[in-house]
């Protein structure tokens, strides 16, 4: 007997359903796209329990003719493609004719529809692919699909569904993309009897972005409008200072169809070089309008990926569109911040101004005998007053003379009067008459250096005392200094030099503390909680891993509609790094769902410690560097969490060999 079996209709439909219907969000995507193709201007989506038990999609489109209802549920039955050539210029979102047959085969489906040219509507019930009811019904123009008990007849598929929250957020993510791709359609999204999203349907993309991602995200955007090589790029891109640690907020649409476009991602990356910090990515909502026969949308079962006939025009159009938008955005920013031109200020010679001040003082009328006589003028205070006056001027014509120049004051006109000149001369003479050994801290006079503005005052330098020795485990350490604001230089036992990377060392120390305390001892309450906007997938990853964030020192609450609120964070983490750190961790948890908890915690500890550690290039006090060096030696810190070395050892004998001091 032969081994090849021809599957019956029911089994074949169950297998085919798996290609299109993976989860509730797949059903919603197919049904909403059909509503858009039907010319709807208003669409309402409602789900319960993540869409597993109940889904409803209603629209005010053209409806389905009564005679077309039964054929619509036959596999590969479609009104959008007739001939082979039609596949080369697909202008609709749906076209394969598989969605309705696939959904009906794995659920209890109810259809209520009325075409505009018909007087009455139709109600149609189909369960597991088998027709149950077909009757007339009163209803408005348009179509309503109600899906109940998805995968009720395929238990194996049911057990692979995630939690209701995860499935619901997947549906929310689909609705967000559709709302952004069609701002002319008013979309209402109801989740578990609660209104989650409502777009205006006014045709303005910024209105849709505001509804989906909120006010703060919408305010950070720059408009994009550019055409090149038959590709018209429109939409918005975020300002460079609002770039994020990952690409999860980059949204691309080809002819108003959401796609994952690696060509556009690469073009944006190139356009943002020199404007966006390395390792960060701008957010965007960009639509590429192009000829339908220049793109093939029939290469992926869920139509999320497309193939271009020629990728170069797409890359060039996106590159120049983003580059132009960023340049225009900077110009507008500069124009907005540029103050009105200041009125010209008359320049005044500082000596003339000082003489005027003292002259006005001397010309004041003498006090009456009954009044208290004026106190004697303190020359030191008068000099301070004059120096403060000179500092207010933009371009002083002379510098303050150094000590070895004061003897020459008698040759010039002094603004402070003869008494002051005589006082300075006497003071300088007294200084010069003192023996050198009585002034060990005063170095020998140095000839003044000439600058563009004249001689500059020489700094009197004190002789530094040798650095103190630090004893650790019978070893002696002497702090030498810091190189390049990054590497601590320590002399050990007069025989070795230690070079310590202060960032790597501090990073490892924080990492070990976080692991030991599990965030409990290093979390501090924020005075002002921080709200973080995420796409629905990352948002779901955060909500499902709140305990992971808590163990890392973050107290996070669900703020609804794709936003979370951070109430506390690790105390070492700078305030400006809290939001980027949460975004990075959300992206990591999304991409590494299958990793065990310990691996996730290792990565999160490393991420937090890297952001919280002292940065190379930043200034640090001598006390901070000495304390850090002590910890490195006491705790035997040798590598940062990413594997880079913390400390390098250079022996005295090696240095002597380098300089040829040892034969």
């Amino acid at each position: 007997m032969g081994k090849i079996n021809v599957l019956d209709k029911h089994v074949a439909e169950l297998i085919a359903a798996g290609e299109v219907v993976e989860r509730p969000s797949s059903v919603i995507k197919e049904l909403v796209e059909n509503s858009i193709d039907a010319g709807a201007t208003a669409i309402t989506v409602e789900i319960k329990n993540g869409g597993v038990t109940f889904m409803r999609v209603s629209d005010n489109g053209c409806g389905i003719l009564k005679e077309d209802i039964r054929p619509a549920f036959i596999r590969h039955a479609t009104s959008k493609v007739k001939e082979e050539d039609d596949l080369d210029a697909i202008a609709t979102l749906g076209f394969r004719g598989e969605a309705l047959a696939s959904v009906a085969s794995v659920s209890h489906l109810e259809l209520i529809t009325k075409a505009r040219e018909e007087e009455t509507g139709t109600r149609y019930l189909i369960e597991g692919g088998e027709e149950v009811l077909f009757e007339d019904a009163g209803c408005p123009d348009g179509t309503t699909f109600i899906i109940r008990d998805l995968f009720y007849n395929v238990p194996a598929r049911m057990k692979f569904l995630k939690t209701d929250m995860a499935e619901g957020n997947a549906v929310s993510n689909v609705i967000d993309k559709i709302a952004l791709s069609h701002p002319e359609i008013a979309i209402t999204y109801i989740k578990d009897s609660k209104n989650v999203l409502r777009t205006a349907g006014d045709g303005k993309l910024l209105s849709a972005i505001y509804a989906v991602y909120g006010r703060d995200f919408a305010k950070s955007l720059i408009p994009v409008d550019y055409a090149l090589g038959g590709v018209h790029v429109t939409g918005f891109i975020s300002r460079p200072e609002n770039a994020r640690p990952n690409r999860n907020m980059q949204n691309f649409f080809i002819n108003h169809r959401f796609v994952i476009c690696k060509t556009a991602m690469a073009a944006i990356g190139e356009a943002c070089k020199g404007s966006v910090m390395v390792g960060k990515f701008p957010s965007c909502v960009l639509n590429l309008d192009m000829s339908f026969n220049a793109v093939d949308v029939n290469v992926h079962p869920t139509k999320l990926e497309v193939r271009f006939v020629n990728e170069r025009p797409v890359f060039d159009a996106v590159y120049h569109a983003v580059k132009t938008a960023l340049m225009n955005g900077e110009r507008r920013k500069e124009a907005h911040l540029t103050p009105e031109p200041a009125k010209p200020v008359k320049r005044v010679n500082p000596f003339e101004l000082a003489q005027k001040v003292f002259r006005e003082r001397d010309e004041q009328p003498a006090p009456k005998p009954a009044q208290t006589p004026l106190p004697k003028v303190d020359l030191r205070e008068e000099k301070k007053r004059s120096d403060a006056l000179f500092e207010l001027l933009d371009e002083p014509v002379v510098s303050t003379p150094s000590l070895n120049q004061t003897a020459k004051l008698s040759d010039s006109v002094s603004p402070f009067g003869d008494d002051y000149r005589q006082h300075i001369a006497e003071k300088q003479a007294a200084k010069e008459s003192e023996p050198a050994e009585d002034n060990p801290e005063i170095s020998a006079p140095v000839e003044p250096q000439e600058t563009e503005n004249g001689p500059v005052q020489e700094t009197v330098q004190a002789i530094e005392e040798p650095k103190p020795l630090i004893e650790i485990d019978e070893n002696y350490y002497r702090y030498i200094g810091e190189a390049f604001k990054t590497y601590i230089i320590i002399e050990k036992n007069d025989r070795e030099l230690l070079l310590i990377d202060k960032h790597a060392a501090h990073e490892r120390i924080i990492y070990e503390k976080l692991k030991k305390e599990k965030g409990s001892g290093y979390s501090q309450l924020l005075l002002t909680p921080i709200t973080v906007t995420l796409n629905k997938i990352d948002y779901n990853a955060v909500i499902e891993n709140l305990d992971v964030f808590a163990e890392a020192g973050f107290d996070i609450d669900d703020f609804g509609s794709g936003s979370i609120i951070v109430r506390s964070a690790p105390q070492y983490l700078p305030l400006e790094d809290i939001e980027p750190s949460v975004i990075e961790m959300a992206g990591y948890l999304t991409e590494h769902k299958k990793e065990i908890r310990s691996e996730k915690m290792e990565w999160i500890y490393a991420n937090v410690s890297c952001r919280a550690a002292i940065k190379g290039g930043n200034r640090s006090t001598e006390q901070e560097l000495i304390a850090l060096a002590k910890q490195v030696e006491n705790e035997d810190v040798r590598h940062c969490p990413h594997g880079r070395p913390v400390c390098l050892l250079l022996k005295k004998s090696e240095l002597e060999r380098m300089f040829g001091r040892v034969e």
Side-chain angles (χ1 to χ4, degrees):
M1 186 177 180
K3 296 181 179 180
I4 303 298
N5 300 318
V6 178
L7 298 178
D8 60 35
K9 176 183 176 183
H10 177 67
V11 176
E13 288 179 347
L14 290 178
I15 295 174
E19 299 175 3
V20 178
V21 182
E22 298 177 351
R23 56 197 306 191
S25 59
S26 305
V27 177
I28 294 296
K29 178 179 182 294
E30 297 291 344
L31 296 181
V32 173
E33 287 181 348
N34 284 342
S35 296
I36 295 172
D37 290 339
T41 58
I43 300 174
T44 299
V45 179
E46 181 180 2
I47 68 170
K48 293 180 180 179
N49 303 116
V52 178
T53 60
F54 180 86
M55 289 179 280
R56 178 172 65 89
V57 178
S58 301
D59 65 64
N60 63 350
C62 64
I64 305 175
L65 292 171
K66 186 174 183 178
E67 62 185 87
D68 288 335
I69 291 177
R70 286 191 175 99
F73 287 87
I74 300 174
R75 188 166 300 281
H76 302 305
T78 177
S79 62
K80 301 162 186 176
V81 175
K82 292 183 178 180
E83 300 176 354
E84 178 181 348
D85 294 339
D86 294 339
L87 294 175
D88 296 330
I90 297 173
T92 56
L93 297 178
F95 54 87
R96 294 191 182 122
E98 295 178 301
L100 295 184
S102 297
V103 174
S105 65
V106 292
S107 67
H108 300 294
L109 184 147
E110 179 179 358
L111 167 65
I112 302 173
T113 183
K114 176 182 176 299
R116 294 167 184 167
E117 57 267 34
E118 293 182 334
E119 295 183 357
T120 61
T122 304
R123 180 169 178 256
Y124 183 60
L125 297 180
I126 183 170
E127 298 180 356
E130 300 295 331
E131 180 180 318
V132 176
L133 180 66
F134 188 90
E135 63 180 6
D136 293 340
C139 59
D141 293 345
T143 302
T144 297
F145 280 96
I146 300 175
I147 313 297
R148 295 183 175 90
D149 303 325
L150 186 65
F151 298 138
Y152 79 98
N153 55 350
V154 192
R157 299 289 303 281
M158 173 71 76
K159 70 178 183 180
F160 283 101
L161 293 178
K162 302 186 183 333
T163 63
D164 290 350
M165 178 178 291
E167 296 298 341
N169 286 330
V171 174
S172 301
N173 190 57
V174 169
I175 299 299
D176 288 349
K177 306 302 184 188
I178 292 174
L180 296 174
S181 64
H182 290 275
E184 76 282 1
I185 300 177
I187 294 179
T188 301
Y189 175 44
I190 304 170
K191 181 180 177 183
D192 295 322
S193 303
K194 179 182 178 181
N195 283 324
V196 175
L197 175 68
R198 186 187 298 273
T199 64
D202 56 3
K204 298 178 181 178
L205 178 57
L206 195 59
S207 297
I209 295 174
Y210 186 100
V212 172
Y213 291 132
R215 180 186 62 182
D216 293 339
F217 183 84
K219 287 173 61 177
S220 69
L221 301 177
I222 304 172
V224 177
D225 192 345
Y226 194 88
L228 178 68
V231 181
H232 186 196
V233 183
T234 57
F236 293 88
I237 189 168
S238 64
R239 297 184 182 277
E241 60 268 24
N242 298 111
R244 300 167 73 92
N246 54 46
R247 293 189 176 93
N248 294 352
M249 292 290 276
Q250 292 186 353
N251 301 279
F252 300 102
F253 305 92
I254 305 293
N255 295 329
H256 302 280
R257 178 198 302 275
F258 174 71
V259 297
I260 299 173
C261 185
K262 295 181 180 179
T263 302
M265 290 181 185
I268 286 183
E270 289 296 321
C272 291
K273 283 185 177 179
S275 299
V276 175
M277 186 182 301
V278 176
K280 290 196 172 185
F281 309 91
S283 306
C284 66
V285 180
L286 297 179
N287 181 69
L288 283 65
D289 282 310
M290 55 196 305
S291 174
F292 293 111
N293 56 19
V295 56
D296 183 5
V297 299
N298 192 28
V299 296
H300 193 275
T302 59
K303 302 184 284 276
L304 287 177
E305 296 180 7
V306 296
R307 183 184 294 117
F308 300 107
V309 174
N310 187 358
E311 290 188 355
R312 191 68 202 183
V314 177
F315 182 94
D316 291 344
V318 174
Y319 174 85
H320 290 290
V322 172
K323 199 75 172 178
T324 303
L326 292 177
M327 293 175 62
N328 292 338
E330 286 300 315
R331 282 198 290 266
R332 282 194 293 271
K333 185 177 179 181
E334 292 173 0
H336 177 70
L337 297 178
T338 302
E340 295 182 1
K343 296 180 180 179
V345 179
K346 183 179 179 180
R347 299 292 180 182
V348 180
N349 187 296
F351 287 134
E352 294 179 357
L353 183 59
Q355 288 175 338
K356 180 181 178 181
V357 171
F358 291 115
R359 185 167 56 251
E360 291 177 352
R361 182 199 65 191
D362 296 337
E363 291 176 355
Q364 292 181 358
K368 297 180 180 180
Q371 295 178 341
T372 305
L374 293 174
K376 185 178 180 179
V377 177
D378 189 336
L379 296 179
R380 296 183 182 87
E381 293 298 322
E382 290 295 338
K383 183 178 183 302
K384 292 180 180 179
R385 178 182 176 187
S386 179
D387 290 344
L389 183 62
F390 289 171
E391 291 176 0
L392 296 176
L393 302 174
D394 290 337
E395 298 178 2
V397 296
V398 298
S399 301
T400 304
S402 59
L403 291 177
N404 59 354
Q405 292 176 294
T406 53
K408 300 180 181 180
L409 286 175
S410 59
D411 300 332
S412 61
V413 178
S414 172
F416 306 111
D418 295 338
D419 292 341
Y420 180 75
R421 183 170 62 247
Q422 182 179 357
H423 171 76
I424 292 297
E426 293 174 354
K427 184 176 180 180
Q428 177 65 16
K431 286 283 185 182
E432 292 175 352
S433 64
E434 293 179 359
E437 59 271 17
D438 294 337
N439 296 279
E441 294 183 356
I442 305 298
S443 60
V446 181
E447 291 299 325
Q449 298 179 357
E450 294 292 330
T451 65
E452 295 180 357
N453 296 326
V456 298
Q457 183 174 355
E458 298 298 328
T459 302
V460 178
Q461 298 181 350
I463 300 175
E464 294 186 0
E465 296 182 358
K467 303 292 185 181
L469 290 174
I470 306 167
E471 184 176 357
I472 303 176
D473 295 336
E474 300 182 355
N475 291 311
Y476 292 92
Y477 299 82
R478 190 192 306 278
Y479 172 78
I480 303 300
E482 183 183 14
F484 314 118
K485 299 180 184 178
T486 302
Y487 305 103
I488 308 170
I489 305 175
I490 302 290
E491 182 182 310
K492 180 179 179 181
N493 296 331
D494 293 330
R495 296 193 304 272
E496 298 170 332
L497 278 183
L498 298 179
L499 302 179
I500 300 174
D501 185 331
K502 67 179 182 181
H503 171 75
H506 196 209
E507 182 181 0
R508 184 70 190 199
I509 291 168
I510 296 175
Y511 172 81
E512 294 297 337
K513 289 179 178 179
L514 286 173
K515 283 186 64 177
K516 182 179 179 181
E517 301 292 335
K518 294 187 177 180
S520 59
Y522 296 92
S523 180
Q524 70 176 9
L525 189 67
L526 302 178
L527 291 176
T528 303
I530 297 175
T531 303
V532 182
T533 301
L534 304 166
N535 66 25
K536 296 304 187 297
I537 303 301
D538 288 353
Y539 165 75
N540 179 70
V542 173
I543 298 303
E544 288 188 338
N545 291 277
L546 291 178
D547 55 337
V548 172
F549 281 92
E551 189 171 329
F554 292 89
D555 179 15
I556 296 177
D557 288 335
D558 184 0
F559 206 53
S561 300
S563 297
I564 57 174
I565 186 166
V566 184
R567 302 192 184 279
S568 64
Q571 60 181 340
Y572 290 118
L573 198 60
L575 187 63
E576 63 272 13
D577 282 343
I578 293 177
E579 181 177 357
S581 183
V582 171
I583 293 173
E584 277 189 359
M585 288 187 282
Y588 174 84
L589 293 172
T590 298
E591 296 176 4
H592 300 82
K593 297 177 181 178
K594 297 182 180 180
E595 285 189 359
I596 60 176
R597 182 187 177 90
S598 60
E599 291 179 342
K600 295 178 181 177
M601 294 310 308
E602 289 283 338
W603 186 91
I604 290 176
Y605 287 147
N607 178 274
V608 173
S609 60
C610 182
R611 288 186 171 275
I614 300 172
K615 303 297 186 294
N618 290 354
R619 291 186 178 275
S620 303
T621 65
E622 181 175 316
Q623 291 75 15
E624 290 174 339
L625 298 178
I626 292 175
L628 189 58
K630 285 182 179 180
Q631 283 187 285
V632 169
E633 288 300 302
N634 281 330
E635 301 177 16
D636 195 25
V637 176
R638 289 296 175 260
H639 294 88
C640 80
H642 302 99
R644 293 188 295 108
V646 167
C647 180
L648 296 179
L649 181 66
L650 186 61
K651 294 184 178 181
K652 182 180 179 180
S653 59
E654 294 176 351
L655 278 175
E656 291 176 340
R657 189 177 300 108
M658 292 177 185
F659 284 102
R661 300 178 66 87
V662 177
E663 295 182 359

